[in-house]
Amino acid sequence: MIGYIAGTLTTIAFAPQLLKALKTKSTKDVSLLMLICSTSGMALWLVHGYLIHDNALVIANFISVSLAFSLLVYKMKNEY
Amino acid sequence: MIGYIAGTLTTIAFAPQLLKALKTKSTKDVSLLMLICSTSGMALWLVHGYLIHDNALVIANFISVSLAFSLLVYKMKNEY
């Protein structure tokens, strides 16, 4: 049970960050390296989940990598 | 192997974000709700790891919750 709550919280954590970025149109203080580490790490968790046939890992990381990648693209478009 | 790389990346992701915040002294664009979700989620992962006697989960989340909590405290001190 604690694991499910933990998983939900860490999976959706980037949602408020993405909404904030879209609202303020500012991502200056958000670290590019943090987004690169998060996106690539979550993508690898997804691959790992697929390889070990763990649907929970695949679904959770599909959501979180989508949020993190959107934020990364938005920051790149916004600043570079 | 992919799991270890994924774990390392997602565990240390907040390190560059914390360093950036300390350097620029600005955390305006970093979402408070994102930090609250991350910190509480990682803390619960740590508890979950302790309950199921999984050292990898405990160690990884001890590092990531320390980084996320430091960032949360720094943002609160900086802005409120």
Side-chain angles (χ1 to χ4, degrees), chain B residues 2-80:
Chain B
I2 288 180
Y4 287 104
I5 304 171
T8 305
L9 285 169
T10 49
T11 300
I12 61 161
F14 274 159
Q17 180 64 70
L18 182 61
L19 289 178
K20 176 166 191 151
L22 292 172
K23 204 165 63 179
T24 62
K25 296 189 195 329
S26 173
T27 48
K28 186 176 56 66
D29 300 333
V30 179
S31 159
L32 181 66
L33 199 54
M34 184 272 280
L35 292 175
I36 292 171
C37 284
S38 297
T39 304
S40 51
M42 290 160 180
L44 290 177
W45 273 129
L46 199 160
V47 173
H48 179 69
Y50 177 77
L51 292 175
I52 65 167
H53 306 288
D54 186 309
N55 276 340
L57 214 49
V58 171
I59 294 166
N61 282 286
F62 177 77
I63 297 169
S64 51
V65 81
S66 305
L67 292 168
F69 186 68
S70 305
L71 204 55
L72 179 61
V73 169
Y74 188 71
K75 183 179 168 76
M76 299 285 273
K77 223 182 87 180
N78 227 12
E79 290 171 36
Y80 299 96

Side-chain angles (χ1 to χ4, degrees), chain A residues 23-57:
Chain A
K23 204 166 64 182
T24 62
K25 296 188 195 330
S26 173
T27 48
K28 187 176 53 68
D29 300 334
V30 179
S31 161
L32 180 66
L33 200 54
M34 183 270 278
L35 291 176
I36 292 171
C37 284
S38 296
T39 305
S40 52
M42 290 160 179
L44 290 178
W45 273 128
L46 199 161
V47 173
H48 179 69
Y50 177 76
L51 291 175
I52 65 167
H53 305 288
D54 186 309
N55 277 339
L57 214 48

Side-chain angles (χ1 to χ4, degrees), chain A:
Chain A
M1 185 60 193
I2 288 180
Y4 289 102
I5 304 170
T8 305
L9 285 169
T10 50
T11 299
I12 60 161
F14 275 158
Q17 179 64 71
L18 182 61
L19 289 177
K20 177 166 192 152
L22 293 171
K23 204 166 64 182
T24 62
K25 296 188 195 330
S26 173
T27 48
K28 187 176 53 68
D29 300 334
V30 179
S31 161
L32 180 66
L33 200 54
M34 183 270 278
L35 291 176
I36 292 171
C37 284
S38 296
T39 305
S40 52
M42 290 160 179
L44 290 178
W45 273 128
L46 199 161
V47 173
H48 179 69
Y50 177 76
L51 291 175
I52 65 167
H53 305 288
D54 186 309
N55 277 339
L57 214 48
V58 171
I59 294 165
N61 282 285
F62 177 77
I63 297 169
S64 53
V65 80
S66 305
L67 291 168
F69 186 68
S70 305
L71 203 56
L72 179 60
V73 169
Y74 188 72
K75 182 179 169 78
M76 298 286 273
K77 223 182 88 182
N78 225 13
E79 290 171 36
Y80 300 96

